[in-house]
Amino acid sequence: MEAKQWTVQIYITEEGDDTHARAVLSTRDTSVVTGRGVARRNPVDRPIPEIGDELAASRALEDLAVRLHDVAADDIVEMAGPVQA
């Protein structure tokens, strides 16, 4: 049995009250898939950057999961071939 390793890198940037995250999945067999997430701090909340990081990263991972599912669905349709009438 061959073990495979997939890597997800998360990049986080902050601009004012906004935190942006990008989750990038790389595999040996497929092209790169990217998910994005944003967290916005309410100006009345205390500035705790790690909370924005966590929220933005979790949203980027959620978006990545949806995009990866779409890639798999497209692959299934492609492998099934044309629809017979």
Side-chain angles (χ1 to χ4, degrees):
M1 177 192 305
E2 177 187 359
K4 297 181 182 181
Q5 180 174 332
W6 289 13
T7 303
V8 176
Q9 294 181 318
I10 300 175
Y11 303 91
I12 299 172
T13 58
E14 295 177 8
E15 297 176 25
D17 291 336
D18 293 349
T19 302
H20 299 264
R22 187 169 45 101
V24 181
L25 170 68
S26 356
T27 72
R28 182 178 55 157
D29 302 326
T30 64
S31 60
V32 172
V33 181
T34 302
R36 300 182 190 286
V38 177
R40 292 183 177 88
R41 183 178 67 85
N42 186 323
V44 299
D45 291 340
R46 293 184 317 173
I48 304 173
E50 63 195 48
I51 293 174
D53 294 352
E54 293 164 349
L55 286 172
S58 70
R59 291 170 180 163
L61 289 167
E62 182 176 30
D63 184 47
L64 175 63
V66 169
R67 291 174 187 272
L68 184 58
H69 186 270
D70 290 346
V71 168
D74 290 346
D75 288 347
I76 290 168
V77 168
E78 184 179 310
M79 295 305 246
V83 176
Q84 301 287 330

